[in-house]
């Protein structure tokens, strides 16, 4: 970097020491830090109006003469009002708890106020407008264009930030090295760095602002995509995996195990998986499919293909309940085969666990089914060929490393619990290849969803009772295990008590939650599977994967506590067999408006991908796709929920660059490569690309 860019901010003109210290607390030390500290938003006060022509709640600017200055109240609760007049009308500006504003105005001054006016009685009012004090006659004074708004820190005002950034831009906008090669800028219509820096901080118009922002968003996403491409390349070159071929005969042998024809979606995903498995480079594939689309079949096929090739395979599930369910499914599929499979979960006796571990090291066990915790316990395998991670997309770069031995890596197949919004798939999961499993197995009936108000609750329970009397089963899900004073949300213990004494008094109820010990959980699930209990009152431990075809009604208590994708998973527990499914969302007496909107949006669609997108837009990446889980540093200017189109461009650009210059070794790409390593070298382990 040019040394003048690394110079401390205090080398700019007129920077008080205290201000420099405050900026440092915000992480702004050098001139370069200021140049690349992009505005959070812009204020647009170019819309100048006569007072009589103002519109409510829109940012506008008026110019007038101060007629009156009034102030009320004292310390802590003061109010300053300033009335201005132009030829058409009068307006009052108001400041609360800023008593000092009083002394800044006196009748006769010409001032410019910018803000969003409201109609108060007969007069327009602006609260805390931006003010410019004008020379007597010059109406055109004051700021032109769009005004940058920076996020601030204690001790630094907007005014300070604007002044300092302007000084940095004036002196140094031409100094930083251009990162984007000219052909790339031409191809994607992006301005050069110097122009972009000038425009992003002080745009004359929207076009300048937008093109400058687009350039920096593109750049940030391009660097990320290059890092992900570098990681894929490194992985391909750096690790060896066993070639697991599936010939016609083996394919037929595996298919015979499934009691149904595969769907077109399953066929497509299987073909992609089989192609990957046959290579000596590790597969890193993510299978996405809506709840109930039949992802397990893809997993089982891959596991059996691996074992048939003489390698060990492991299937990891997020919960013990699901691991046991998979073990049972596999046991029945493999009744007549010689495959030696074992369950390894926390709930087993120590002795038994030790036995399974020994069997895996010795190679006496072909197939292990367990929870993700299996990885933490450092289980060793004699000849691991494949790891399938079910219903879990949070399986990051680091966890995958746990199953490698030196240069040997198993193949990885990751199945998602939740459809992943497209943009996240290209970033957080950008180092994986993706198979999309679309369509549902034939004969599925859609689940009908109802938003049930308290007044309608007894009718809903009547409906549940009728289904139970017809021989069906039901789930009731609540967010908490036990009652809490901290929130009004429902608990399973309280729900169970209330239902057992009330609406469902005549039926056999079971309880299941995460705080029960493993064998009790197992017993509760088993009792439900065997229809000994008719209703399972549970927390979200049954959220993913659980497959009981006779259960047809899902009741969610306090649905406002769940994300849409989570509700979708819960709803996916019913409607899995030949019976139609129903989902009732029992909303509280007076739900918050936003929560109700979300729930109604949920009830209106059964498309898991659409819901995941909606959830993402409404709540951000949230807990399901938090940045922390991805292990990637946060983005500065790009916003995945908003910048999907730029992301696609950046991804294409990265692919093109990598196709012609895989290690980014060309001198024209040196700056990009440096930036990629600086930003993602550590988090993506990009030791020595190229
Ligand atoms: P998910 O994608 O949610 O993991 P599962 O793999 O659990 O879905 O499959 C849901 C249900 O559909 C299971 O009961 C499974 O046996 C059944 N199933 C899967 N594939 C098919 C198919 N091709 N035809 C009919 N039923 C199928
Ligand atoms: Mg599943």
């Amino acid at each position: 970097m040019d040394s003048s860019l690394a110079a401390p901010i205090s080398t700019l003109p007129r920077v008080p020491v205290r201000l420099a210290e405050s900026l440092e607390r915000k992480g702004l030390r050098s001139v370069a830090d200021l140049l690349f500290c992009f505005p959070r938003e812009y204020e647009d006060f170019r819309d100048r109006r006569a007072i009589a022509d103002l519109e409510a709640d829109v940012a506008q600017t008026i110019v007038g003469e101060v007629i009156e200055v009034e102030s009320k109240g004292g310390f802590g609760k003061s109010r300053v009002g300033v009335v201005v007049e132009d030829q058409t009308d009068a307006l009052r500006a108001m400041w609360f708890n800023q008593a000092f504003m009083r002394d800044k105005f006196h009748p006769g001054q010409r001032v410019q106020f910018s803000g969003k006016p409201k109609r108060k009685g007969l007069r327009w009012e602006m609260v805390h407008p931006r003010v410019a004090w004008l020379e007597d006659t010059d109406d055109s004074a004051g700021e032109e264009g769009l005004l940058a708004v920076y996020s601030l820190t204690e001790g630094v005002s907007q005014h300070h930030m604007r002044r300092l950034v302007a000084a940095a831009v004036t002196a140094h906008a031409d100094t930083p090295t251009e990162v984007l090669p000219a052909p790339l800028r031409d191809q994607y219509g992006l301005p050069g760095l110097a122009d972009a820096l000038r425009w992003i901080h002080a745009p004359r118009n929207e076009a300048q602002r937008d093109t400058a922002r687009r350039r920096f968003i593109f750049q940030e996403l391009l660097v990320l995509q290059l890092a992900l491409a570098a990681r894929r390349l490194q992985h391909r070159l750096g690790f060896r995996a066993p070639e697991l071929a599936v010939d016609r005969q083996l394919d037929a042998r595996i298919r015979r195990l499934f009691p149904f024809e595969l769907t077109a979606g399953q066929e497509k995903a299987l073909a992609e998986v089989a192609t990957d498995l046959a290579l000596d480079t590790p597969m890193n594939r993510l299978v996405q499919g809506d709840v109930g689309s039949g992802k397990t079949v893809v997993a089982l096929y891959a596991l059996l293909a691996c074992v048939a090739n003489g390698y060990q395979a492991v299937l990891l599930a997020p919960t013990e309940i699901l691991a046991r369910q998979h073990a049972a499914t596999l046991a029945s599929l493999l009744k007549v085969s010689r495959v030696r499979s074992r369950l390894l979960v926390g709930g087993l006796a120590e002795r038994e666990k030790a036995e399974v571990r020994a069997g895996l090291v010795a190679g006496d066990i072909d197939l292990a089914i367990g929870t993700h915790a299996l990885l933490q316990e450092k289980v060793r395998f004699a000849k691991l060929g494949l790891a399938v991670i079910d219903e879990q997309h949070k399986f990051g770069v680091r966890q995958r490393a746990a199953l490698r031995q030196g240069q040997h890596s198993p193949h990885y197949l990751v199945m998602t619990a939740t459809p992943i919004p497209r943009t996240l798939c290209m970033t957080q999961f950008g180092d994986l290849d993706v198979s999309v499993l679309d369509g549902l197995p034939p004969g599925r009936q859609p689940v009908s969803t109802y938003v049930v108000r308290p007044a309608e609750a007894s009718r809903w329970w009547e409906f549940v009772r009728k289904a139970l009397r017809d021989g069906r089963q039901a789930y009731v899900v609540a967010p908490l295990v036990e009652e809490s004073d901290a929130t009004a949300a429902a608990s399973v213990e309280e729900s169970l008590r209330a239902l057992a004494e009330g609406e469902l008094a005549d039926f056999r109820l079971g309880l299941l939650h995460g705080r029960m010990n493993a064998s009790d959980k197992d017993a509760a699930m088993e009792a439900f599977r065997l229809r000994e209990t008719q209703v399972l009152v549970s927390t979200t431990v049954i959220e993913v994967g659980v497959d009981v075809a006779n259960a047809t009604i899902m009741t969610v208590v306090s649905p406002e506590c769940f994300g849409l994708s989570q509700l979708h998973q819960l709803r996916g527990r019913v409607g899995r067999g030949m019976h139609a499914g129903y989902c009732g969302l029992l909303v509280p007496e007076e739900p918050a408006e936003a929560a109700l909107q979300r729930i109604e949006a949920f009830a209106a669609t059964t498309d898991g991908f659409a819901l995941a997108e909606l959830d993402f837009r409404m709540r951000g990446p949230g807990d399901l796709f938090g940045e922390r889980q991805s292990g990637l540093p946060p983005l500065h200017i790009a916003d995945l929920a908003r910048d999907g189109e730029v992301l696609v461009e950046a991804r294409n650009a990265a692919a093109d660059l990598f196709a012609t210059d895989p290690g980014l070794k060309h001198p024209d790409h040196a700056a990009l490569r440096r930036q990629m390593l600086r930003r993602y070298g550590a988090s993506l382990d990009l030791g020595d690309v190229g």
Side-chain angles (χ1 to χ4, degrees), residues 372-393:
H372 298 143
L374 199 73
L375 288 186
Q376 263 106 62
E377 295 173 20
K378 277 272 158 210
V379 177
R380 307 203 64 83
F381 295 82
K383 254 182 121 181
L384 183 62
L386 169 73
V388 177
I389 295 98
D390 188 29
E391 304 288 13
Q392 167 70 296
H393 47 257

Side-chain angles (χ1 to χ4, degrees), residues 244-262 266-267 270 273-274 277 296-310 313 329-330 332-337 339 367 386:
L244 306 173
V246 182
D247 59 19
R248 270 252 208 65
Q249 216 184 348
L250 176 57
D251 177 73
R253 226 167 74 214
I254 299 176
R255 279 165 191 272
R256 267 204 299 278
L257 296 174
F258 300 123
F260 36 64
E261 293 280 302
L262 302 192
Q266 285 168 328
E267 292 288 359
L270 277 187
V273 168
L277 287 177
T296 313
V297 165
V298 180
L300 297 180
Y301 184 101
L303 291 167
L304 298 176
C306 174
V307 171
N309 272 274
T329 310
L330 273 161
S332 80
L333 285 184
L334 297 175
K335 261 193 305 255
V336 293
S337 89
V339 175
L367 185 53
L386 169 73

Side-chain angles (χ1 to χ4, degrees), residues 260-261 263 266 291-296 391 441 444 547 576:
F260 36 64
E261 293 280 302
T263 65
Q266 285 168 328
V291 225
S293 58
K295 295 183 287 290
T296 313
E391 304 288 13
R444 283 289 165 75
D547 189 31
R576 298 174 74 82

Side-chain angles (χ1 to χ4, degrees), residues 1-8 30-33 35-36 172-173 175-177:
M1 185 160 46
D2 188 297
S3 63
S4 64
L5 286 174
S30 67
V31 170
D33 291 340
L35 280 180
F36 291 95
H172 296 288
T175 319
T177 319

